[in-house]
Every structure is written in C-alpha cells, then in structure tokens.
C-alpha cells in the first residue's frame, strides 16, 4: 500500500487505508504537520540554545521559516501529492503562502510571551495549535495553484490505476 507513496506516484491520502477505510486528507496533513512540528521544535531549540538567540518569537520565526522545506516534501508525500509546476515553483508558492502566517504567528507568539507572560515553549505550543489548522486551508489552495482541491490521481492515469489495484486488494 505504500509503494505508490514511496515512488511518488500518489500521496498517502489517496492510497492508504486503515482497516479498509481511507481517512480524510486532513488526517494525513495532521500526521505530516506533527512530524514537521517536531523538526521545527528541534530547529527552535538549536537556534535558542546553540546559537544563543534569546527572543522566543525570533526563534519561532526562524524555526518556522527553516521547517518549510521539510514541510513541503512531507506534505507532498503524505497529503497533497505531486508538485504543481515543479519542485521550485511549488516551494516558492509555499513560502509565499506561509509568509503571511509566519508574520502573523510571530506576532501572536510575541503577544503570548510579552503580554500573557508565557514561557518560551508554552508560547511555542500555543502558537502551533492555531497555525496548523490555518495552514491546511492555505496549502489546500496553494498546492493546486489554480485554487482547486488537489487531486494527484486523475482518471486513467497510472497512479489512478495503481490506486484502483490497491483498493481491490485491501
């Protein structure tokens, strides 16, 4: 069931079934996002401890910005499928779409630190909670570039035939 995902023919959201049920795309986005959040946390810790950046909001912004490359690949394989327009154009669109969220979430994180007096990593987790949901709707639009819901498996494509074969065996 994973060979179309690993080969890049289709995302997990189009091919993987759990107990004969295909979970919604958001489930795979959430798994992908969670894994990338761990990477973002690691980047934040490195920026904070190793590089000595003491501003939690700056750590957030740097960690989020650097994690986008990993998010781009993870979301491709788990949630949204092939890059529309190629890797670099898709990555640029993702950075453009995320730029607004990076700015808004950094401002939100700053408020959590300075106004609500949250510790660094409590503010990190609080900021993560709402950005994940907002990002899903942004990416759902951006991934197809034309604003339509992404569909990596078009009828009569080899990926679609692979999915059909997998569906019949599961």
């Amino acid at each position: 069931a994973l060979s179309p995902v690993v080969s890049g023919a289709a995302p997990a959201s189009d091919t993987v079934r759990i107990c004969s049920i295909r979970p919604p795309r958001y489930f795979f986005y959430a798994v992908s996002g969670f894994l990338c959040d761990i990477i973002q946390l690691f980047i934040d810790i490195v920026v904070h401890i190793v590089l000595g950046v003491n501003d939690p909001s700056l750590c957030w912004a740097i960690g989020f910005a650097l994690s986008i490359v990993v998010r781009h690949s993870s979301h491709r394989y788990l949630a949204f499928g092939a890059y529309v327009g190629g890797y670099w154009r898709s990555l640029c669109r993702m950075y453009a779409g995320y730029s607004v969220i990076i700015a808004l979430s950094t401002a939100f994180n700053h408020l959590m630190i300075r106004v609500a007096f949250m510790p660094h990593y409590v503010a990190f987790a609080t900021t993560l909670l709402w950005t994940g949901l907002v990002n899903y709707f942004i990416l759902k639009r951006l991934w197809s570039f034309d604003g339509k819901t992404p569909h990596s498996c078009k009828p009569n494509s080899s990926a679609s035939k692979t999915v059909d074969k997998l569906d019949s065996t599961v």
Side-chain angles (χ1 to χ4, degrees), residues 13 70 167:
S13 62
V70 176
D167 286 345

Side-chain angles (χ1 to χ4, degrees), residues 94-152:
M94 193 161 172
Y95 267 102
Y98 267 145
S99 64
V100 172
I101 294 300
I102 291 172
L104 290 174
S105 65
T106 300
F108 178 83
N109 186 275
H110 183 77
L111 287 173
M112 295 299 99
I113 298 291
R114 304 289 181 237
V115 176
F117 303 107
M118 287 184 178
H120 183 142
Y121 291 106
V122 173
F124 179 96
T126 304
T127 307
L128 268 181
L129 291 175
W130 70 268
T131 57
L133 184 61
V134 172
N135 289 338
Y136 175 73
F137 293 105
I138 290 172
L139 288 180
K140 194 173 167 184
R141 291 273 183 200
L142 283 177
W143 208 268
S144 65
F145 193 60
D146 60 2
K148 296 177 184 168
T149 302
H151 294 288
S152 60

Side-chain angles (χ1 to χ4, degrees), residues 17-72:
R17 290 180 176 264
I18 300 171
C19 298
S20 299
I21 298 169
R22 183 176 297 153
R25 184 179 308 276
Y26 185 78
F27 170 81
F28 293 97
Y29 169 79
V31 169
S32 176
F34 174 75
L35 295 172
C36 294
D37 291 344
I38 293 169
I39 291 169
Q40 181 181 344
L41 176 61
F42 176 75
I43 294 168
D44 190 290
I45 290 168
V46 168
V47 168
H48 180 59
I49 294 172
V50 176
L51 300 180
V53 175
N54 291 319
D55 181 349
S57 300
L58 183 57
C59 292
W60 167 267
I62 293 168
F64 195 175
L66 292 177
S67 74
I68 289 174
V69 173
V70 176
R71 290 177 190 280
H72 185 244

